[in-house]
């Protein structure tokens, strides 16, 4: 697809080409108001490029002039903020030459990145044929996919493109396995379009089997004390993609920094269940903060500093696995605070997916096929956090109070939402007790009320040190974890340290603190 990028370039002088950067093209979506869309490309150094935006009938609605900088031979301009809609034509002219892009719309642009669960295409998911057939109903949700690429240095533009900007079809949404187009990205965009009713542009930049270190800039890695050189990583046998620090940031993210974005969707973490797992509580918040700073600066301040950042909490891998690296990674995805947004991860939202397991997936159980629920949960977070939709429930219930009835050996938990109990799993809840502080013991739920859960603490003694929920690689069967809310969203997993704070009429009041001592 590299040749496609050259189609938008025409010669203007010896060795110089006029045109747009690789990820501008016919059918694209540019970011709408209140931001201005950044547009950039190539031209003859020392001269200027005129950029014109015109309506379908030819009426010019905006003109900008941008100098071509040497020696890079690039020009950049920021369009005035535009209302959602279209179609428009975008023309870059220099001297007697010009290049025109057509069928351009203004709307919201979302970047979708991560590893193989983000790269899984619509062809691979549950009800694929029905989802592919529905593509024609969404001509204003446009799609673009960068090709997998790595580089040891930061690139200014994409070297290769898998899918130039396109109107969705069954063919380009289901090109093949783990190619294009991302099912999670597509469904997120589709659900957002159904809520917003204006154009959406979706940009996929994903590569399977890759750790967060490869997607992080050297700046972000330094913030977590990680080495930044290629020789610092010993290849892990279970990871299939590039593991070298920063190589995907360099080749697939850095080239996009000039793009004005509305938000990011991220599905990654499986690789880090095998590599630097307990650093993810630093590397993930550091990546978010670094991407935000870089996109804000790269877009001349048009991408907002607190760029909304949504992510998918890990699903499942191996049933009955004694390993808790997936559980630890899920916790670290929240910066060890359990819920987002939080103080360490402002402006973020999360889709909990530990209940969407798929043991019979032909792509391996680490690749569940139910991406509809993933995207539906993610889009609720986007509507609440990115779009400020009030009173929208976008995450499951979470405990806010604990009271220990010492004489009865019962622990009463109060939640922040109405509860729906789907199963009373014996190992859903576990406690660490003063009598056996190094062990996690089952604490079966003996009663579930509208907002309360009562746990039995037989053999726990008088002091509870820790409490955790759904702390397993495979916590439950499909859509059958213990607790949900009335909207069908699962209660997130948690790890709590427990401290006694006083006596009440109901028993001993306990303080629940985000935990780390049990990891």
């Amino acid at each position: 697809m590299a040749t496609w990028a050259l189609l938008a370039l025409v010669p203007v002088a010896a060795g110089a080409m006029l045109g747009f950067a690789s990820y501008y093209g016919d059918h694209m979506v540019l970011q709408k108001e209140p931001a201005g869309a950044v547009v950039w490309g190539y031209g003859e150094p020392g001269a200027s490029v005129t950029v014109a935006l015109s309506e379908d009938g030819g009426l010019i609605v905006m003109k900008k002039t941008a100098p071509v900088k040497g020696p890079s031979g690039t020009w950049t301009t920021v369009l005035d903020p535009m209302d959602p809609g279209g179609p428009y034509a975008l023309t870059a002219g220099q001297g007697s030459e010009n290049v025109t892009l057509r069928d351009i719309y203004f709307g919201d642009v979302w970047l979708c990145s991560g590893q193989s669960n983000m790269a899984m295409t619509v062809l691979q998911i549950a009800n694929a044929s029905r989802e592919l057939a529905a593509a024609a109903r969404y001509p204003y949700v446009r799609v673009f996919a960068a090709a997998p690429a790595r580089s040891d240095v930061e690139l200014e533009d994409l070297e290769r493109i898998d899918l130039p900007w396109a109107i969705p079809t069954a063919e380009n949404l289901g090109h093949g396995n783990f190619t294009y187009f991302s099912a999670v990205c597509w469904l997120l965009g589709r659900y957002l379009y159904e809520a917003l009713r204006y154009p959406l542009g979706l940009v996929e930049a994903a590569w399977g089997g890759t750790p967060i270190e490869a997607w992080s800039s050297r700046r972000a890695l330094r913030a977590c004390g990680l080495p930044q050189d290629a020789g610092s990583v010993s290849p892990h046998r279970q990871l299939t993609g590039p593991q070298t620090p920063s190589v995907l940031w360099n080749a697939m993210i850095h080239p996009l920094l000039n793009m004005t974005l509305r938000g990011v969707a991220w599905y990654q973490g499986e690789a880090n269940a095998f590599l630097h797992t307990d650093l993810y509580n630093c590397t993930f918040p550091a990546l978010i903060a670094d991407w935000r700073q870089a996109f804000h600066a790269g877009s001349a301040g048009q991408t907002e500093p607190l760029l909304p950042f949504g992510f998918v909490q890990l699903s499942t891998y191996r049933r009955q696995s004694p390993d808790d690296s997936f559980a630890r990674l899920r916790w670290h995805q929240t910066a060890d605070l359990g819920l987002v947004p939080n103080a360490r991860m402002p402006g973020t939202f999360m889709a909990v997916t530990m209940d969407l397991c798929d043991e019979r997936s032909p792509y391996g159980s680490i690749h569940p096929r139910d991406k509809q629920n993933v995207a539906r949960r993610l889009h609720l977070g986007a509507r609440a956090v990115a779009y400020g939709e009030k009173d929208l429930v976008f995450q499951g219930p979470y405990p806010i109070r604990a009271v220990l009835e010492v004489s009865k050996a019962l622990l009463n938990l109060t939640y922040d939402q109405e509860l729906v109990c789907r199963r009373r799993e014996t190992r859903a809840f576990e406690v660490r007790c003063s009598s056996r502080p190094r062990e996690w013991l089952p604490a079966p739920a003996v009663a579930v009320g509208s907002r309360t859960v009562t746990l039995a603490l037989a053999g726990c003694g008088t002091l509870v040190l820790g409490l955790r929920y759904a702390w397993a690689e495979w916590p439950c069967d499909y859509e059958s974890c213990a607790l949900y809310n009335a909207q069908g969203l699962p209660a997130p997993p948690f790890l709590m340290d427990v401290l006694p704070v006083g006596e009440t009429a109901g028993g001993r009041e306990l303080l629940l603190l985000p935990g780390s001592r049990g990891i």
Side-chain angles (χ1 to χ4, degrees), residues 309-472:
F309 198 108
F311 63 94
V312 181
Q313 195 177 46
L314 288 194
S315 187
T316 54
Y317 181 24
R318 299 164 296 194
R319 186 189 287 273
Q320 305 297 338
S321 171
D323 193 316
D324 75 341
S325 60
F326 264 58
R328 298 196 329 266
L329 203 288
R330 290 186 194 113
W331 183 243
H332 295 329
Q333 285 179 294
T334 69
D336 298 353
L337 292 171
L339 290 177
V340 299
N342 60 49
R344 288 193 63 202
M345 299 174 65
T348 60
F349 53 95
M350 171 177 76
V352 176
T353 67
M354 64 183 178
D355 66 327
L356 301 181
C357 48
D358 187 359
E359 200 165 23
R360 295 185 176 87
S361 171
Y363 315 105
S365 59
I366 203 167
H367 298 123
R369 287 166 290 178
D370 180 359
K371 294 297 193 269
Q372 291 87 342
N373 268 314
V374 176
R376 194 168 289 114
R377 293 171 186 180
L378 199 59
H379 110 281
L380 289 174
R383 285 167 58 187
V385 175
Y387 293 97
E389 196 168 324
K390 302 298 182 189
D391 304 320
L392 179 70
V393 177
F394 66 97
Q395 52 194 357
Y398 207 71
I400 54 175
R401 186 182 179 214
V403 176
L404 178 64
E405 293 185 66
V406 178
S407 60
K408 298 179 181 178
L410 297 175
L411 180 62
N412 297 309
L413 299 178
T414 301
Y415 277 76
D416 61 355
Q417 297 178 44
E418 297 286 325
L419 296 172
V420 174
C421 181
R422 293 193 183 174
R423 290 179 74 98
R424 290 192 184 177
E425 298 286 357
T426 54
R427 299 233 33 135
F429 290 94
E430 297 170 294
V431 290
R432 269 192 318 117
C433 306
S434 56
S435 56
R436 296 158 75 177
R438 295 185 178 277
E439 292 182 59
W440 286 96
L441 305 174
V446 295
V448 179
S450 64
R451 287 185 180 237
T452 60
V453 176
T454 300
L455 306 178
L457 305 179
C460 199
T462 59
L463 191 60
V464 177
L465 303 177
L467 172 69
R468 68 187 191 183
Y469 170 73
W471 199 264

Side-chain angles (χ1 to χ4, degrees), residues 234-320:
S234 301
H236 195 286
R237 59 182 177 80
Q238 289 189 259
L239 306 188
T240 57
Q243 299 170 48
T244 306
S246 302
V247 291
L248 304 184
W249 157 267
N250 291 341
M252 299 179 71
I253 302 301
H254 190 269
L256 303 176
L257 294 184
N258 291 351
M259 183 182 286
T260 309
L261 293 181
R262 184 64 181 87
V264 175
W266 174 258
Y267 195 158
Q268 190 278 334
E270 298 89 346
N272 287 97
F274 307 102
L275 178 72
H276 297 152
T277 303
D278 291 323
L279 285 176
Y280 206 88
N281 57 4
C282 181
T283 51
F284 188 35
L287 176 140
I288 294 171
D290 186 66
W291 281 26
R292 283 172 167 165
Q293 183 275 327
F295 274 101
H296 180 66
S299 65
Q302 298 304 307
T303 295
E304 61 182 287
L306 200 65
L307 176 66
F309 198 108
F311 63 94
V312 181
Q313 195 177 46
L314 288 194
S315 187
T316 54
Y317 181 24
R318 299 164 296 194
R319 186 189 287 273
Q320 305 297 338

